[in-house]
Amino acid sequence: MRLQEISYIKKGKANEKAEYAEAKEECEKTPEKLGPGWSWSVDLGIYCLQFISMAFGGQKPKKISAVGSHYETGMDDTVTVLLQYPGGVHGSFTCSITVLLSNTVSVSGKEFSFTNGMGMNYEAKHVQESLQRGLKESPVIPLAQSELLADILEEVRKVIGITFPQDKH
């Protein structure tokens, strides 16, 4: 059964962390060195958001709330996002480069709870399989869904105070 076929999901949750040594090295760089349009909340958050989006059938959230903290260089280091969807359901995720998180995803409803602690490597496997089949677009996450996820993460980035040079135009 695919997650979007379960009509009684009440909550979806995901956590993602970067490997600390690699992340700390990247954090030491200023946003200018990393390049415009780069953010940890976007880099890590997409994996969490993609799972939540699949759990709720690709719907657009009615409300997006976020809090985040910044590393001393000004980059975002930890962000927690709450997504409120139609029908009284919500999803949340936390991603961080400075906090050890569980790298798990879960969905819960009135009569069930599912948790996957294998990390989020299934996305990479799906991309590899799609490319090997010659597909230019995922049948699971089509372009329109990818654009929605990008829009959500853009709003999260702005809410937590991460701005890029192109935001000033």
Side-chain angles (χ1 to χ4, degrees):
M1 179 181 314
R2 294 174 57 120
L3 289 176
Q4 56 264 42
E5 294 170 352
I6 303 172
S7 61
Y8 47 87
I9 291 177
K10 285 294 194 186
K11 181 176 106 176
K13 180 179 176 186
N15 293 298
E16 179 73 25
K17 69 164 178 64
E19 292 302 321
Y20 182 75
E22 175 187 322
K24 185 166 181 359
E25 183 178 311
E26 289 298 313
C27 259
E28 299 300 326
K29 299 176 182 177
T30 62
E32 293 77 27
K33 289 181 183 175
L34 289 169
W38 197 87
S39 161
W40 279 111
S41 56
V42 172
D43 188 51
L44 295 174
I46 188 65
Y47 299 104
C48 302
L49 183 57
Q50 183 179 22
F51 173 80
I52 291 168
S53 179
M54 288 177 64
F56 295 121
Q59 297 181 79
K60 181 177 181 176
K62 293 186 336 181
K63 184 175 180 184
I64 301 168
S65 303
V67 293
S69 57
H70 297 184
Y71 196 72
E72 57 201 41
T73 59
M75 296 299 296
D76 50 335
D77 72 15
T78 300
V79 63
T80 299
V81 178
L82 176 62
L83 305 162
Q84 296 174 332
Y85 288 90
V89 297
H90 70 270
S92 64
F93 70 86
T94 298
C95 55
S96 180
I97 58 161
T98 57
V99 175
L100 183 60
L101 298 171
S102 62
N103 275 10
T104 59
V105 296
S106 64
V107 289
S108 303
K110 290 180 182 179
E111 299 177 15
F112 78 97
S113 182
F114 166 80
T115 299
N116 179 348
M118 294 176 48
M120 313 240 179
N121 60 11
Y122 54 87
E123 286 108 341
K125 183 178 178 185
H126 173 70
V127 168
Q128 180 183 14
E129 291 169 353
S130 295
L131 291 172
Q132 287 172 342
R133 292 178 28 210
L135 300 175
K136 294 182 180 180
E137 183 175 339
S138 166
V140 177
I141 303 288
L143 178 59
Q145 185 64 26
S146 295
E147 291 171 336
L148 173 62
L149 300 180
D151 289 346
I152 293 169
L153 288 173
E154 173 109 349
E155 185 170 337
V156 166
R157 177 182 62 78
K158 290 177 180 177
V159 166
I160 64 170
I162 300 297
T163 58
F164 297 146
Q166 61 267 31
D167 293 336
K168 295 175 174 56
H169 294 104

